[in-house]
Amino acid sequence: MENVLEVKGLRTYFELAEGTVKAVDGIDFQLRKGEVLGIVGESGCGKSVTALSIMRILPKSARICDGQILFRNEGNVLDLVKLDANGEEMRRIRGKDISMIFQEPAACFSPVYTVGEQMIEAIVLHEDVSKQEARKLAVKMLDKVKIPNPESVLDRYSFQLSGGMLQRCMIAMALSLNPKVLIADEPTTALDVTIQAQIIYLVKQLQKEYSSSIIWITHDMGVIAQVSDRVAVMYLGHIVETAKVKDLFEDPKHPYTRALLRSIPRLARRKTKLEAIKGVVPDPYNLPTGCRYHDRCDSFMKGLCDREEPSEVEVGQDHRVKCFLYGGK
């Protein structure tokens, strides 16, 4: 299957007064046409920074130090890293060809403009249409995301809408230009479980309709199981395991992946204590040598895991893992 997006050796570092934070430190993955790739891991592992790197909207303290972000667009392959983040070409791609649903919609919609004004501005910026035509498209998209009375919602401000309604507006705006790649950065985190289920179902239906490729970022393995075709597990800036979603849940290889799955609450084990991943995420200014997970790992091998960094090993069809248990030298 054709790759729409390919990330190779991406390194994104933050240069701060306290030192350098290697938020994304040499990751590789591919997003195929029409698939949903789930990126999962604990908070602080580099998931959102990966998304911001692809969109080229990093804060001033961050920079892409190395790597490629190859985007296939109408037969051409563009390396987004080489484009000026504020240049005309990147601005054409951002929002139209690659769009993003942000984690906090309330922070993304300006409170001084109506939802409609912001949606219409995004459409007019990328399409040769009038404001009246853009408004009709905005109403149509709000209707598609199951918002009642879309005409009236367009004329409301963000503080007049609930979190679930705002998230639907964000999805409508992200999909209004039919992007080839949609990045969903924890779009259900701040919502209750009923609304979460509705949002997941909605995005899956719209993905089928628009044939978009989706990167779904979350820390929730339950959500990953529902939405993803393939999964990339991240830990401290590294991708430690990549597999098809069924293979990952049925036969997880990396000790960190297994620990994430064991920490999921199960109705059948109501009287047992919920298992937590031991230890804490290391200080980002003082990363451990060798495998970054070794100080929390049940399968730690002294003299190896704490000294050398494992390489990626293929352990099955479309299943790769970074661990000395499977070679990795």
Side-chain angles (χ1 to χ4, degrees):
M1 193 181 292
E2 183 184 77
N3 291 330
V4 179
L5 188 74
E6 191 170 357
V7 174
K8 294 182 176 181
L10 180 65
R11 300 179 191 274
T12 303
Y13 296 171
F14 285 77
E15 303 292 346
L16 305 174
E18 298 87 348
T20 301
V21 175
K22 297 178 180 180
V24 176
D25 197 17
I27 65 168
D28 301 87
F29 66 86
Q30 300 82 35
L31 177 67
R32 296 161 187 167
K33 188 174 182 179
E35 81 165 351
V36 180
L37 173 69
I39 300 181
V40 67
E42 291 172 285
S43 295
C45 69
K47 305 184 301 295
S48 294
V49 176
T50 300
L52 296 178
S53 299
I54 294 169
M55 294 291 291
R56 300 299 312 279
I57 51 174
L58 290 162
K60 290 182 179 179
S61 58
R63 62 188 176 90
I64 297 175
C65 304
D66 195 14
Q68 296 176 301
I69 303 170
L70 304 177
F71 174 56
R72 190 177 298 277
N73 187 25
E74 296 176 357
N76 299 319
V77 179
L78 299 173
D79 185 356
L80 303 185
V81 173
K82 292 182 179 178
L83 300 182
D84 180 1
N86 298 311
E88 186 178 336
E89 191 168 10
M90 190 64 223
R91 287 167 67 89
R92 276 201 307 267
I93 293 169
R94 188 191 300 125
K96 178 173 173 58
D97 296 315
I98 305 177
S99 195
M100 187 165 175
I101 303 169
F102 292 91
Q103 188 172 346
E104 267 298 336
C108 298
F109 281 103
S110 171
V112 298
Y113 296 99
T114 64
V115 168
E117 286 172 330
Q118 293 171 76
M119 288 187 70
I120 289 166
E121 181 185 18
I123 294 167
V124 170
L125 186 66
H126 292 287
E127 296 288 347
D128 185 18
V129 294
S130 65
K131 286 189 175 182
Q132 290 77 18
E133 291 171 318
R135 184 180 175 88
K136 288 179 182 177
L137 178 57
V139 170
K140 178 184 174 182
M141 291 307 301
L142 290 182
D143 185 55
K144 278 186 178 290
V145 297
K146 312 298 185 201
I147 286 184
N149 302 317
E151 280 275 7
S152 64
V153 169
L154 274 184
D155 296 322
R156 294 184 192 176
Y157 294 88
S158 58
F159 55 81
Q160 295 176 306
L161 301 173
S162 68
M165 291 277 277
L166 271 181
Q167 194 61 280
R168 288 168 189 266
C169 291
M170 175 66 71
I171 293 168
M173 185 159 70
L175 290 171
S176 59
L177 295 166
N178 192 12
K180 294 179 177 65
V181 175
L182 177 65
I183 301 172
D185 186 8
E186 304 206 32
T188 61
T189 298
L191 307 175
D192 63 69
V193 290
T194 306
I195 303 300
Q196 278 188 26
Q198 292 174 5
I199 295 295
I200 289 169
Y201 176 77
L202 177 64
V203 173
K204 287 176 73 175
Q205 290 299 110
L206 291 171
Q207 189 239 353
K208 289 178 183 176
E209 182 177 344
Y210 288 92
S211 301
S212 294
S213 301
I214 298 179
I215 297 175
W216 191 293
I217 295 169
T218 183
H219 60 265
D220 190 331
M221 294 297 281
V223 171
I224 284 293
Q226 292 181 66
V227 302
S228 301
D229 299 308
R230 286 190 306 123
V231 187
V233 181
M234 282 194 78
Y235 184 76
L236 277 182
H238 287 178
I239 290 179
V240 296
E241 186 167 4
T242 309
K244 294 176 182 176
V245 66
K246 185 180 178 182
D247 294 340
L248 190 89
F249 278 82
E250 290 183 352
D251 188 22
K253 296 296 187 183
H254 198 280
Y256 178 59
T257 308
R258 293 201 292 261
L260 285 175
L261 291 171
R262 286 197 303 268
S263 68
I264 300 174
R266 288 176 173 81
L267 288 174
R269 300 191 319 204
R270 291 177 67 181
K271 293 185 179 180
T272 59
K273 188 176 180 180
L274 186 64
E275 189 170 341
I277 302 174
K278 71 177 185 179
V280 295
V281 178
D283 180 0
Y285 297 108
N286 187 26
L287 294 173
T289 56
C291 174
R292 293 184 179 180
Y293 186 63
H294 80 260
D295 54 350
R296 305 175 72 187
C297 182
D298 294 330
S299 305
F300 166 61
M301 292 178 279
K302 192 173 181 180
L304 179 61
C305 297
D306 54 348
R307 291 185 181 178
E308 298 180 38
E309 186 178 313
S311 58
E312 195 173 59
V313 179
E314 190 165 351
V315 293
Q317 186 179 5
D318 214 6
H319 195 162
R320 304 183 70 84
V321 62
K322 271 188 171 184
C323 186
F324 289 120
L325 291 174
Y326 311 96
K329 293 185 180 180

